[in-house]
Amino acid sequence: MIRLPDVGGGLREYQPRAEPAAAVLTPGKGLAPPASRTVFSAAHVVADPFADATPDGPAAVDWDATLAFRRHLWSHGLGVAEAMDTAQRGMGLDWSGAAELIRRSAAEARAEGGGRIACGVGTDQLIEPVGFDGVAGLARVRAAYEEQLAVVEETGAQAILMASRVLAATATGPEDYAELYGHLLRQASEPVILHWLGPMFDPALTGYWGSEDLDKATHTFLEIIAAHPDKVDGVKVSLLDADREVALRRRLPDGVRCYTGDDFNYPELIAGDDRGFSHALLGIFDPLGPLAADAARLLDTGDVAGFRALLDPTVPLSRHLFRTPTRYYKTGVVFLAWLAGHQDHFAMVGGLQSARSLPHLARAYELADGLGLFPDPALAETRMRQLLAVHGVTA
């Protein structure tokens, strides 16, 4: 029995699970990727806890542990979405660190015999949008995208064109987005994934695609895709609105995938309906990796009920991790990786381990343990007790 703090300031008793879920115990080596869905897990980075770093300084990354976690995801048949929001892009990891991460992870993917990898292309080498206006400002944004696109393409990884804070601050309307994205798509050597990250993940992206009206923004987004369907492998939609994603999905050109980024409604969106389904590119698949991969493989046999039986119970955990303010979900993801034994500490680049409260983390532990996500439940309990003790909670 362990005593966990709650939001009311009290302590409650919880009996940890004795055994992990079967999917968590399944050796990952050699498991085939799901055939009926393309499934990416956005992956976190592991900080170097011994580095003399500051929250506003360059990220100090433990490269061995970071790459080991990617091998864990690949071993279960998942693709890795690299240098994305989950990797604290723009929240502790700057472009220099992201470029190193992309190069190292892409090389590791090749060494793993073809582990699938797609990497984020953004503009975060442009720190602040000061002086970014007019044609000259948009030209600087375009050059920043081009620099990052070249880095990703040189590694052989697929590119994900991420939403840009600087573009959101610089563009004056839909036509600026159409011109810039059109240029980048014409320039890309292979089809890319377009990423629409909603303001709940990053408030600086409010009004992306030229309007705060989501219907108008969707119209611009679809026009850009329709003008370059041969250069768009798919779209990653992170708006946390299942109905809107389904409506957008049904309007995509033939051959353009919809990758759900909806960490609230992913089981129903991936399962789909008689008019289609979403593939997946999700931050919640970082802690859910083995279970998510097993569930997706059930869809290969048409076992939708089995898929839902595995994934539906994970939604409360995901909704908890991604609760407002959503952008701090990374703290819970790294916390669970520590409890699961994927890293030896609970430290994050930028000091982001402090971004969630002790009651929030305690509830995350309880939900994850209830799902059987920890390969060694006793280790997870011991580490949870250590965290509690640091905060003055005695067993």
Side-chain angles (χ1 to χ4, degrees):
M1 195 72 69
I2 185 172
R3 295 194 302 165
L4 300 176
D6 58 35
V7 293
L11 293 171
R12 53 191 168 77
E13 291 189 338
Y14 172 70
Q15 180 60 57
R17 182 168 170 154
E19 298 292 336
V24 175
L25 285 177
T26 302
K29 197 66 175 176
L31 289 177
S36 60
R37 306 289 189 275
T38 300
V39 182
F40 288 101
S41 168
H44 73 280
V45 292
V46 182
D48 178 355
F50 300 111
D52 186 13
T54 59
D56 58 351
V61 177
D62 180 337
W63 293 113
D64 289 342
T66 293
L67 295 176
F69 188 76
R70 280 130 184 86
R71 291 194 295 272
H72 156 71
L73 294 172
W74 283 318
S75 75
H76 284 276
L78 296 173
V80 168
E82 188 56 277
M84 301 290 290
D85 187 56
T86 305
Q88 295 180 243
R89 191 81 179 264
M91 289 185 69
L93 187 72
D94 61 12
W95 166 236
S96 176
E100 182 71 7
L101 178 62
I102 288 165
R103 293 186 179 102
R104 286 177 179 259
S105 291
E108 195 73 18
R110 293 192 299 272
E112 282 292 296
R116 184 158 187 171
I117 185 168
C119 301
V121 170
T123 62
D124 44 332
Q125 67 271 58
L126 306 176
I127 305 301
E128 296 291 341
V130 177
F132 284 75
D133 53 15
V135 174
L138 289 171
R140 292 182 66 187
V141 174
R142 186 177 71 186
Y145 265 125
E146 290 173 335
E147 176 189 350
Q148 295 199 15
L149 179 61
V151 168
V152 171
E153 290 190 336
E154 284 168 4
T155 70
Q158 184 176 19
I160 303 171
L161 293 186
M162 301 171 67
S164 162
R165 294 173 179 173
V166 182
L167 178 57
T170 305
T172 59
E175 62 284 351
D176 287 340
Y177 288 89
E179 193 282 330
L180 190 146
Y181 274 90
H183 175 88
L184 294 172
L185 290 171
R186 287 189 295 271
Q187 183 173 322
S189 60
E190 300 290 340
V192 308
I193 298 172
L194 295 181
H195 188 192
W196 186 355
L197 192 67
M200 67 289 294
F201 288 92
D202 188 342
L205 300 176
T206 300
Y208 213 74
W209 307 113
S211 178
E212 292 187 36
D213 182 320
L214 289 180
D215 290 335
K216 292 179 179 178
T218 299
H219 177 75
T220 300
F221 187 50
L222 288 168
E223 280 195 329
I224 292 170
I225 297 163
H228 310 277
D230 59 322
K231 287 297 187 73
V232 181
D233 164 70
V235 299
K236 196 261 192 180
V237 185
S238 300
L239 298 177
L240 303 184
D241 184 332
D243 290 340
R244 184 169 291 279
E245 178 175 321
V246 170
L248 186 151
R249 184 175 77 197
R250 291 174 178 171
R251 296 171 64 187
L252 291 173
D254 290 343
V256 176
R257 298 181 176 95
C258 180
Y259 293 93
T260 188
D262 188 331
D263 300 278
F264 282 8
N265 305 292
Y266 50 94
E268 65 188 81
L269 290 164
I270 297 169
D273 54 32
D274 58 359
R275 296 179 60 184
F277 55 81
S278 294
H279 300 268
L281 198 165
L282 288 160
I284 191 57
F285 282 4
D286 181 301
L288 294 183
L291 191 152
D294 274 10
R297 277 187 286 268
L298 289 175
L299 292 176
D300 296 346
T301 66
D303 186 1
V304 176
F307 167 83
R308 296 296 297 265
L310 274 181
L311 270 201
D312 282 359
T314 70
V315 171
L317 171 63
S318 189
R319 287 180 175 243
H320 178 72
L321 295 181
F322 285 79
R323 66 184 296 183
T324 304
T326 303
R327 61 189 179 278
Y328 295 122
Y329 76 87
K330 297 101 167 165
T331 301
V333 165
V334 174
F335 172 64
L336 294 182
W338 173 55
L339 294 184
H342 292 298
Q343 55 194 78
D344 295 331
H345 58 84
F346 178 39
M348 298 176 67
V349 298
L352 209 63
Q353 67 271 10
S354 65
R356 290 296 200 189
S357 69
L358 184 63
H360 178 92
L361 296 175
R363 181 59 176 156
Y365 162 71
E366 183 178 6
L367 289 168
D369 181 73
L371 292 167
L373 292 185
F374 302 129
D376 184 345
L379 174 65
E381 180 183 348
T382 296
R383 290 183 169 182
M384 187 70 227
R385 289 183 184 277
Q386 291 171 344
L387 183 69
L388 292 171
V390 168
H391 286 79
V393 179
T394 56

